[in-house]
Each structure stands twice: as C-alpha cells, then as structure tokens.
Amino acid sequence: MCVCERDYSNLYRTETSLQQEEEEPTLLSMAHAKSAGGNLQVPNVQALSQTWNQSGELVPARYVRTEETSDAVVVAGCALPVVDLGRLLDPRSSQEELAVLGSACQQGFFQLVNHGVPDDVVLDVRRDIAEFFRLPLEAKKVYAQLPDGLEGYGQAFVFSEAQKLDWSDMMYLMLRPVESRDMSFWPVHPPSFRTSVDRYSAEAAKVVWCLLRFMAADMGVEPELLQEMFAGQPQTMKMTYYPPCRQADKVIGLSPHTDACAVTLLLHVNDVQGLQIRMDDGKWHPVEPLDGALIVSVGDIIEILSNGKYRSIEHRAVVHPDKERISAAMFHQPRGSITVEPLPELVKKDGGVARYKSVGYAEFMKRFFSAKLDGRKGHLDHFRV
C-alpha cells in the first residue's frame, strides 16, 4: 500500500501546522453534549442483563421498543458491494475497481477487502476490546463518562428520564489528532489496550485517507481538495457491547440513525452479527460481513459534498437472545473550519443545482445533536433543498 503511505506522510507534514485548528473540531462532539445539557446516568445494561436474563420478569419498560422492532425485516442477509483496496491501488486494475467503488458509495455501505490493515493489528484490538468489556463493572466505571461529555464508558445521548434506551453500553474515545487524546479515559487494563487501539487508529486513518482520494477521483474532483478538507483526520472510536436479551424482539441495540461524519469503518469484534440497514424497499436488511473485511459506511458529510451522488444510509443494531455482540466503529470527520456544502465542481456538473444547503461544520453538528435531543430521525433532511 505504498501509494497511500506516501500520501499519508504528507498528511503528517500538514498536521503540525494545523494542530491548533484541529484540536477544536476533534472536541466538537463534546461541546455539543454540553450544550444539550449533558448525559444522564442510566443503569449499566451489561450488569442488568446478567441478572434480568435469569429472572422471569418482562424487559424493563425503558428498553421496550416494539414500535421499531415491529418494522419489516428481510430474513436473508444483505449482499453488500465488495470493494478491493488492493485492486484500487494496482494501476492495472485501478480504473475498473474505481467504478466498483463509485457504485458502492452510491449504495451507502460496502465491504472493504484487501484493506492492508495487518492481521495482528486487527486480532490485538479485537482481543483487548473484548477483554475490556469482560472487566468487572467497578473497573470499567473508572473510565465513566462525565455528565457534560461523551468520551468514556457509559451510554450516549441520554438527556431525558422518559427517554427510551438502547440495549447496549459503549466506550467512546477521541483518537486523532493524537494531541487531543485524554488518556484518563484510556483503559490500562488489559495492559496492551492503549497500544493496540493506537496501532489500529493509525491503520484505519491510512485506509480512509486512501478511500477519500479514490472517492475524489470517482467524483471527478482533485484529490487535494478532499485532502485539505480532511487534513489532520479527526477520528473517534465507539466500542459497543450488546448484551444478550431473552426478549430480543422487544429491544433495540442501537437506534436507527445515519452517521454525522465523513466515513465510518466498522469492525466486528466477535462473530455475532446485528447490523441492519434500511434499503429502498423500506425494510431492514441484515448484514453478514465477509471474513477479514471492514464494513464501510458513507456518512452525512460525504453525501452533502457529493451533492447526493453518494448516500448516507440509515442503519441500526439488533441484539441476540443468548449471545453477546461487540463492535468497534471508527468515525472520520472533516476539519472543523470547513463549510459543509456540495462541491462547486459537482454542482456545475449537475446543471448548477445544489441539492443541499451550505452550513458551517459546527452548526451542522449542533443540529445533529439537537435532533438526538428531540428524538428525531433523518436530521440530514433539514439540509436538503
């Protein structure tokens, strides 16, 4: 993957000069959590499931989501497009694979194979994430979220005592730029956790840097244009534990949403699946990941930049009746100083028609958090013309 590694070295030369500018956007989500009034503490779902699953009681009312679990689900697994990063990087096959990438981004989700992340990096981060969630509750609480922030261990976007809850717990970390990390939230157990997450963070950033360049090529814009918008590559990671639930048909592991970022890389930590995406038929389709693949999700930012050519697709997570599920989502954001709007070159290609409003990134994220606070879906609709 030498081409991307060479380009990535240029990123580091740029990153130092932009360091001050990038520290603010990396902490943007924290600021909006504060503006929303902070997260409320709720029961730990992993601990709850260990006692409740042995009882004969009904699932606690705050977790009952029958209005959503009753939606139609297609039984057969969804065959996501498969993009081969190795073929994209090979001049002999790059152009052909670029068409595959473009088509996949128009569908919003795809599986990325031959991504170049070393097997030992993936194995190590999977092992350490799983071991962290196996720690006693009191050991995990050392890294608990603060009331006015998202980083740390707990649940996200809980702002009301009457709010329905997801059947999951999470660990959320700021990863990049490196200077923005608050190491007080980084577990010291297992002992290799910090090293394995750091290594995976660096490899994921390389992958996304490559994808952004090829996305630019498919869209017909200069790669440097996207490089500048994503310089420093603000990056966060959400590790989620979905406990088993014997009444799994009544709960939701992760509420339906789109990702308010540029690109998400999803790593399945264990072999229990639960990701579902809503297709054009309005039904939920389960995703069955390929062995060794990363699941890539196009985020809201890229949909807007592409003037709607690429799509950010609604997705959710369901839980298993008797097996735990663990996943790790790596979110990649643009620089906080950018204006989120369709790229002028693409508007021109579309006959001068911009399909989305222009908005500052800070305002874009503010509306995202506001939608979460109000329990609204489809916040991206607000920006459509």
Side-chain angles (χ1 to χ4, degrees), residues 159-234:
F159 305 120
S160 164
E161 294 291 350
Q163 184 177 336
K164 291 290 189 176
L165 300 178
D166 291 342
W167 192 263
S168 60
D169 301 309
M170 74 162 193
M171 167 61 85
Y172 187 86
L173 294 177
M174 305 288 181
L175 300 183
R176 306 188 76 83
V178 173
E179 296 80 8
S180 69
R181 296 176 178 178
D182 185 343
M183 300 309 294
S184 67
F185 289 109
W186 286 57
V188 295
H189 296 291
S192 55
F193 180 94
R194 294 183 173 188
T195 298
S196 61
V197 169
D198 178 66
R199 292 177 66 204
Y200 182 63
S201 168
E203 294 294 338
K206 292 178 185 179
V207 170
V208 171
W209 197 242
C210 284
L211 288 176
L212 288 172
R213 288 184 58 83
F214 286 115
M215 286 178 182
D218 176 69
M219 286 187 277
V221 299
E222 291 297 325
E224 290 74 18
L225 184 63
L226 286 188
Q227 282 182 324
E228 182 178 350
M229 299 181 77
F230 293 89
Q233 287 190 288

Side-chain angles (χ1 to χ4, degrees), residues 71-99:
D71 289 347
V73 177
V74 175
V75 177
C78 177
L80 293 181
V82 178
V83 176
D84 189 324
L85 187 54
R87 284 177 52 81
L88 279 170
L89 291 167
D90 188 337
R92 296 169 298 181
S93 54
S94 184
Q95 202 60 35
E96 181 180 356
E97 196 67 18
L98 188 63

Side-chain angles (χ1 to χ4, degrees), residues 327-364:
S327 67
M330 195 79 79
F331 305 108
H332 297 81
Q333 294 93 1
R335 292 166 49 191
S337 60
I338 75 163
T339 298
V340 182
E341 62 183 356
L343 296 172
E345 297 89 338
L346 301 184
V347 173
K348 184 177 180 180
K349 289 182 180 180
D350 291 336
V353 178
R355 297 186 173 93
Y356 302 83
K357 305 171 188 176
S358 297
V359 61
Y361 180 59
E363 179 62 25
F364 178 85

Side-chain angles (χ1 to χ4, degrees), residues 88-136:
L88 279 170
L89 291 167
D90 188 337
R92 296 169 298 181
S93 54
S94 184
Q95 202 60 35
E96 181 180 356
E97 196 67 18
L98 188 63
V100 176
L101 173 67
S103 176
C105 289
Q106 291 176 41
Q107 296 185 50
F109 269 83
F110 59 91
Q111 309 217 41
L112 188 68
V113 299
N114 293 326
H115 44 70
V117 180
D119 290 345
D120 65 309
V121 171
V122 173
L123 290 172
D124 288 349
V125 78
R126 279 176 166 162
R127 178 200 64 220
D128 288 344
I129 291 172
E131 287 189 14
F132 169 77
F133 284 117
R134 293 190 191 106
L135 293 175

